[in-house]
């Protein structure tokens, strides 16, 4: 089950984002079937799902698998595993005191959902390979329970993001001496991890363990993990053990052990050290628990839509802390019962009623028609001006997305403008504290945009499809699909799969973010791609930022758009500090066949075009197949950091700083223009063995400290220049002898590539200065066999 291979090009690409489309789905209801399915799924490069019938399976053995492709194990199915599940059902895996379930991951996603693990020595998720972190892979644990094990869940990650939602960690009581033994939840970054990872624990509860929640040691310099809306209480040794900085937000613990660099990150806030007042099932006591309505409604990446038991996650005026949401609510519910355009029981009437109430309302659907219900509007809906939640998924027959990369929800409420109305839904916020949200709807046919969000408050748009998803004549949007004017804090999508929007057919742009001085977030969406994930439903530009500051565009698949994937221009004021990270730009999340290259979903022009503003960061994206220069920075922009991306198979340059074409190595002292005209390095030797080598080169530039990033490429362009296919190492170089003209400094940097082999590849480099200015990509240097190099740095 080891996937080591010597073939560099196509295998590598296949592994980066492993297969999706012809996935196997297993349905199991005995231990033997479960173990057989696990073995078959692990050996197959497909993305596989194991559905477990809602029963108890006994697993007394130690079972360790090395999954190839993505693996999802989902519990709570009725016999024969029909798609629909009772949201309150689980499957139980019983370890009989000796069982252990281990996963050793390469680079596929791992999802565990609605499973209860009991009487095990533990569940572990560890890296199988210490190189090649995946770019958009994640370990996702949703609505699981770890009950009375020796240790609960142990995760060490090298390249996967980690998201744990709505899970219980109860009664782990191993007697071993270290902090990981007896921990309900232990999460850490492997010491060999070099990518920035998102590690988030949200709305979970640890109770009655030896140690509640443990974050082990890590190197400094990475984004800290986040613990949000989480309770760790009544654990025998410590509720919370930190060996690294962690952002703690609206969480609760009493006893703590913060040492060896472990500290609550300075941005932590809203935490409590009180008795949470939980009942015997770890639910907040009603009405007295201080956990009720005391969580954070706007965590980074958004809230999950359900709680541990499968109920609505946010009930009442705020979300609760912990795995369960209480039923306490004073929020009035308005029910849409008519598909008519106006009159009693219509969506229009619900919006009017919500606007008449300055407090929050929740709009739900109970339409007496089969799924999908089509609301054909004959005149525009009034703008929403008071806080409200429009919950399309409340209509019978709806189901949320489960797939880690694709949209596979069933949305049952369609809002159609038939191409005659300007705007579908308008959130006209009037104060900074207001928020308005829409989820679970399908939008078709508006001549300006489907959703418009404006004002000082925030909008939340999650789990919707635009321009596709219903069996009606396709109608697009003449301008943007979603237009956001100011509205700081607005979130389009989210980190949970059920938050993913599919955004298609915006003639000008998919998402248009206009001037704001505080960030909006576009997270986890599919932009320009059909539901299958591997064919086109193009927008003009995928995401257009005009004058926004501190906007975040992360973890989206942005492909097939006819223009640019992402374009940043000036609005009424300059743009600045956009973060573009972990996106797939030009690659398809679906695959025609497993184990092969990801499908070409190239955008029609650049992947990212920065026309204005400073301080943007383009980090750790997968950028391929785009039909022009991949990343372009124009003259007005500087300090655009371009780091740790994977850039290959684009038409044109990987990185083009204005002017067009490969810039000369010129005098950088006092230079202005795109990224201050920073020169790229010159490489003169790259040698070693298949897995470990040294690259020698020089950088000519102004004085300063520069980071050099090195990449392996399967091939080089005819002009001798290449892209930046696979990061293989980095180092720093210091120049101190520049005066009126360039100084120069030599570097030698160790590179490694444990799985695929460096021999035969073409090495390229970029330089990044201390301000974040990044260079174009250097000329190629062929990697050749050379003296054996030992990983301790000493040659023998
Ligand atoms: Ca609540
Ligand atoms: Ca250029
Ligand atoms: Ca230059």
């Amino acid at each position: 089950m080891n996937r080591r291979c010597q073939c560099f090009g196509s295998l590598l690409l296949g592994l980066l984002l492993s297969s999706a489309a012809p996935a196997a789905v297993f349905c199991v209801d005995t231990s033997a079937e479960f173990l057989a399915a696990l073995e078959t799924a692990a050996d197959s490069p497909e993305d596989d799902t194991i559905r477990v019938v809602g029963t108890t399976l006994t697993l007394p053995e130690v079972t360790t698998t090395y999954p190839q492709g993505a693996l999802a194990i989902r519990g709570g199915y009725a016999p024969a595993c029909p798609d629909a599940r009772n949201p309150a059902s689980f499957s139980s895996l019983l370890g009989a005191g000796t069982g252990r379930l281990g996963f050793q991951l390469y680079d596929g996603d791992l999802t565990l959902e609605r499973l209860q693990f009991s009487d095990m020595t533990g569940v572990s998720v560890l890296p199988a390979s210490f190189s090649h972190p995946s770019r958009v892979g994640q370990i996702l644990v949703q609505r699981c329970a770890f009950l009375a094990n020796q240790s609960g869940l142990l995760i060490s990650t090298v390249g996967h993001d980690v998201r744990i939602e709505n899970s219980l960690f109860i009664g782990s009581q191993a007697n071993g001496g270290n902090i990981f033994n007896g921990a309900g939840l232990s999460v850490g970054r492997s010491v060999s991890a070099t990518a920035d990872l998102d590690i988030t624990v949200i709305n979970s509860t640890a109770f009655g363990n030896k140690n509640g929640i443990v974050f082990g040691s890590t190197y400094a310099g990475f984004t800290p993990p986040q613990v949000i809306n989480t309770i760790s209480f009544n654990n025998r040794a410590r509720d919370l053990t930190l060996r690294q900085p962690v952002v703690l937000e609206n969480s609760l613990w009493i006893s703590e052990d913060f040492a060896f660099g472990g500290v609550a990150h300075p941005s932590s806030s809203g935490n409590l050290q009180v008795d949470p007042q939980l009942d015997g099932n770890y639910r907040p006591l009603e009405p007295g628990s201080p956990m009720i309505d005391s969580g954070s409604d706007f965590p980074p990446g958004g809230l999950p839509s359900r709680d541990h038991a499968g109920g609505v996650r946010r009930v009442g005026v705020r979300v609760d802390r912990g795995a369960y949401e209480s039923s306490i609510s004073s929020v009035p519910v308005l029910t849409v019962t008519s598909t008519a355009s106006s009159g009693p029981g219509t969506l229009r009437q619900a919006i009017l009623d919500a606007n008449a109430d300055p407090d929050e309302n929740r709009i739900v659907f109970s339409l007496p028609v089969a799924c999908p219900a089509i609301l054909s509007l004959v005149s525009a809906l009034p703008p929403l001006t008071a806080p409200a939640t429009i919950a399309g998924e409340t209509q019978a027959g709806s189901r949320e997305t489960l797939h880690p990369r694709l949209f596979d929800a069933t949305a049952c409420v369609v809002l159609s403008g038939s191409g005659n109305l300007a705007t579908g839904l308008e959130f006209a916020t009037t104060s900074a504290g207001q928020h308005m949200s829409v989820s679970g709807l399908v939008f078709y046919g508006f001549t300006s945009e489907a959703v418009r969000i404006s004002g000082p408050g925030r909008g939340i748009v999650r789990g919707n499809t635009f321009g596709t998803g219903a069996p009606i004549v396709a109608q697009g949007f003449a301008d943007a699909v979603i237009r956001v004017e100011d509205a700081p804090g607005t979130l389009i999508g989210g980190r949970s799969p059920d938050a993913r929007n599919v955004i298609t057919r915006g003639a000008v742009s998919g998402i248009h973010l206009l001037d704001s001085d505080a960030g909006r977030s576009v997270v986890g969406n599919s932009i320009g791609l059909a539901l299958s994930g591997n064919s086109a439903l193009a927008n003009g530009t995928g995401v257009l930022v005009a004058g926004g500051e501190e906007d975040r565009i992360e973890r989206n698949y942005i492909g097939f758009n006819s223009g640019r994937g992402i374009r940043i221009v000036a609005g009424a004021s300059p743009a600045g500090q956009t973060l573009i990270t972990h996106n797939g730009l030009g690659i398809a999340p679906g695959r025609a066949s497993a184990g092969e290259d990801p499908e070409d979903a190239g955008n029609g022009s650049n992947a990212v075009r920065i026309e204005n503003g400073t301080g943007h960061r383009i980090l750790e994206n997968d950028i391929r197949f785009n039909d022009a220069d991949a990343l372009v920075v124009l003259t007005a922009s500087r300090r655009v950091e371009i780091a740790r991306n994977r850039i290959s198979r684009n038409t044109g340059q990987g990185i083009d700083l204005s002017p067009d074409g490969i810039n000369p190595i010129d005098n950088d002292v006092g230079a202005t223009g795109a990224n201050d005209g920073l020169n790229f390095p010159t490489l003169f030797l790259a040698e070693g063995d298949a897995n470990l080598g040294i690259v020698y080169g020089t950088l000519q530039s102004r004085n300063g400290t520069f980071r050099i990033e090195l990449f392996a490429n399967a091939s080089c362009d005819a002009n001798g220049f290449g892209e930046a296919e696979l990061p293989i190492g980095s180092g720093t170089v210091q120049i101190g002898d520049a005066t009126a003209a360039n100084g120069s400094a030599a570097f030698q940097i160790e590179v490694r590539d444990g799985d695929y082999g460096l021999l035969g590849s073409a090495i390229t480099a970029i330089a990044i200065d201390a301000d974040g200015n990044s260079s174009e990509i250097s000329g190629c240097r062929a990697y050749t066999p050379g003296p054996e190099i030992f990983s301790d740095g000493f040659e023998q």
Side-chain angles (χ1 to χ4, degrees), residues 121-172:
T121 63
V123 176
S124 59
V125 183
L126 303 171
S129 166
F130 289 92
S131 56
H132 307 300
S134 65
R135 315 311 303 162
V136 289
Q138 66 176 341
I139 299 162
L140 180 63
V141 179
Q142 295 175 298
R143 299 178 57 203
C144 285
F146 298 82
L147 308 170
N149 302 288
Q150 291 183 36
S151 294
L153 176 62
L154 168 68
I155 295 175
S156 175
T157 175
V158 65
H160 289 71
D161 296 318
V162 178
R163 188 166 175 98
I164 295 168
E165 299 177 343
N166 292 322
S167 289
L168 291 173
F169 302 91
I170 309 292
S172 292

Side-chain angles (χ1 to χ4, degrees), residues 58-384:
T58 302
L59 304 170
E61 308 296 329
V62 175
T63 303
T64 301
T65 56
Y66 295 71
Q68 299 190 52
L71 174 63
I73 305 177
R74 304 184 189 281
Y77 282 89
C81 301
D83 284 349
R85 281 176 292 175
N86 175 350
S89 60
F90 293 82
S91 297
S92 181
L93 303 178
L94 193 63
T98 51
R100 180 172 195 86
L101 205 49
F103 301 93
Q104 300 211 225
L105 303 185
Y106 293 98
D107 41 15
D109 302 311
L110 176 69
T111 303
L112 303 176
E113 188 218 9
R114 292 165 66 173
L115 300 168
Q116 296 176 338
F117 302 90
S118 308
D119 203 16
M120 292 192 163
T121 63
V123 176
S124 59
V125 183
L126 303 171
S129 166
F130 289 92
S131 56
H132 307 300
S134 65
R135 315 311 303 162
V136 289
Q138 66 176 341
I139 299 162
L140 180 63
V141 179
Q142 295 175 298
R143 299 178 57 203
C144 285
F146 298 82
L147 308 170
N149 302 288
Q150 291 183 36
S151 294
L153 176 62
L154 168 68
I155 295 175
S156 175
T157 175
V158 65
H160 289 71
D161 296 318
V162 178
R163 188 166 175 98
I164 295 168
E165 299 177 343
N166 292 322
S167 289
L168 291 173
F169 302 91
I170 309 292
S172 292
Q173 290 290 351
N175 288 317
N178 77 46
I179 56 174
F180 304 108
N181 289 329
L185 171 65
S186 172
V187 188
R189 169 196 299 279
S190 161
V191 292
S192 55
T194 54
D196 209 1
L197 303 173
D198 270 4
I199 299 175
T200 308
V201 179
I202 185 165
N203 277 108
S204 292
T205 299
F207 189 102
N209 305 283
K210 179 185 167 195
N211 283 297
I213 299 175
V214 176
F215 282 88
S217 58
T218 190
Y219 293 129
F222 294 108
T223 302
Q226 303 181 82
V227 177
I228 302 166
N229 299 345
T230 287
I231 300 168
S232 188
F233 183 72
N234 196 36
N235 298 287
R236 183 157 55 91
R238 297 285 185 273
D239 293 326
L240 188 59
T241 301
L242 302 187
R243 297 288 182 262
Q244 59 178 298
V246 174
V247 176
L248 302 162
E249 181 178 328
N250 288 59
S251 291
L252 177 144
W253 70 95
I254 302 284
S255 57
E256 65 187 33
D257 174 9
F258 297 175
F260 306 106
V263 63
H265 188 273
S267 65
S268 298
S269 67
N271 300 295
L272 290 174
Q273 272 84 36
V274 300
D275 184 339
Q277 298 187 44
L278 306 181
D279 70 12
N281 295 313
Y282 319 104
R283 292 174 176 270
L285 285 169
E286 299 179 14
S289 167
M291 302 298 89
I292 296 171
D293 289 356
S294 70
S296 168
D297 280 335
F298 307 109
L303 290 171
S305 60
R306 294 178 184 276
D307 76 347
H308 182 75
V312 173
R313 174 31 92 177
R314 185 174 164 278
V315 173
V317 294
R318 272 172 71 173
V319 71
D320 297 356
R321 298 181 205 219
Y324 291 103
E325 188 78 11
S326 68
S327 62
I328 303 276
S329 177
S330 59
V331 173
V333 172
L334 303 166
T335 304
V336 179
T337 55
S338 165
T339 59
S341 181
S342 59
T346 60
L347 178 58
R348 182 185 311 275
Q349 190 59 50
I351 290 172
L352 292 170
D353 292 348
N355 285 344
D357 180 355
D359 294 329
E360 182 174 341
N361 285 260
R362 177 174 165 82
I363 298 175
V364 303
F365 293 82
S366 182
L367 296 162
V369 293
C371 176
I374 298 172
L375 279 54
S376 295
L377 302 172
V378 297
S379 63
L381 292 170
L384 192 61

Side-chain angles (χ1 to χ4, degrees), residues 563-759:
R564 280 96 192 194
I566 299 170
R567 181 171 176 229
I568 298 179
V569 301
S573 57
Q577 300 182 75
T578 312
L579 175 62
I580 299 170
T581 189
H582 286 89
N583 299 285
L585 287 153
I587 57 176
R591 304 284 182 275
S593 59
E596 297 183 350
D597 289 359
E599 291 285 291
D600 175 348
N603 295 287
S605 180
N606 318 115
V608 181
R609 186 175 178 90
I610 309 282
E611 300 186 18
N612 180 263
T614 64
H616 306 296
R617 290 176 296 156
I618 304 173
L619 309 177
E620 300 183 1
N621 301 281
D622 258 336
I623 305 167
R624 295 182 234 172
F625 302 118
N626 298 286
D627 297 336
D629 297 327
L631 305 178
V632 174
V633 180
L634 296 192
T635 305
S637 290
R638 39 192 308 268
R639 300 185 174 185
V640 177
E641 184 178 0
I642 302 171
R644 302 188 301 275
N645 299 284
R646 298 181 182 210
I647 308 170
S648 66
R649 301 199 193 189
N650 301 283
T651 306
Q653 281 174 269
I655 301 171
D656 184 13
L657 308 182
S658 192
D660 192 22
I662 294 165
N663 293 0
I665 293 180
D666 58 6
N667 186 6
D668 280 1
V669 177
T672 58
N675 272 1
D676 295 349
L678 182 62
N679 292 338
F680 50 76
T682 302
L683 305 181
F684 57 84
L685 182 63
E687 65 174 12
D689 62 23
N691 300 316
L692 188 63
I694 294 183
V695 175
Y696 302 84
T698 59
L699 178 66
Q700 299 179 59
S701 190
R702 48 193 171 261
N703 287 337
T705 301
F706 301 83
R707 190 163 85 249
I708 307 294
E709 291 196 350
L710 293 163
F711 302 88
N713 300 270
S715 63
C716 197
D717 294 346
N719 64 2
F721 284 77
E723 296 184 71
E725 185 168 345
L726 177 70
I728 53 171
S730 66
T732 58
V733 60
Q734 193 141 17
I735 296 177
D737 61 348
T739 53
N742 284 339
S744 178
F747 56 82
Q748 59 180 74
I749 295 172
E750 189 177 279
V751 295
R752 58 179 65 224
D753 187 335
D755 280 0
Y756 307 110
L758 291 160
L759 295 170

Side-chain angles (χ1 to χ4, degrees), residues 301 489-493 513 519-523 525 551-554:
T490 286
L491 172 63
I492 299 171
L513 303 176
R520 287 76 52 97
S521 296
V522 176
V523 182
N525 303 289
D551 292 317
R552 297 173 68 98
I553 303 170
E554 60 177 296

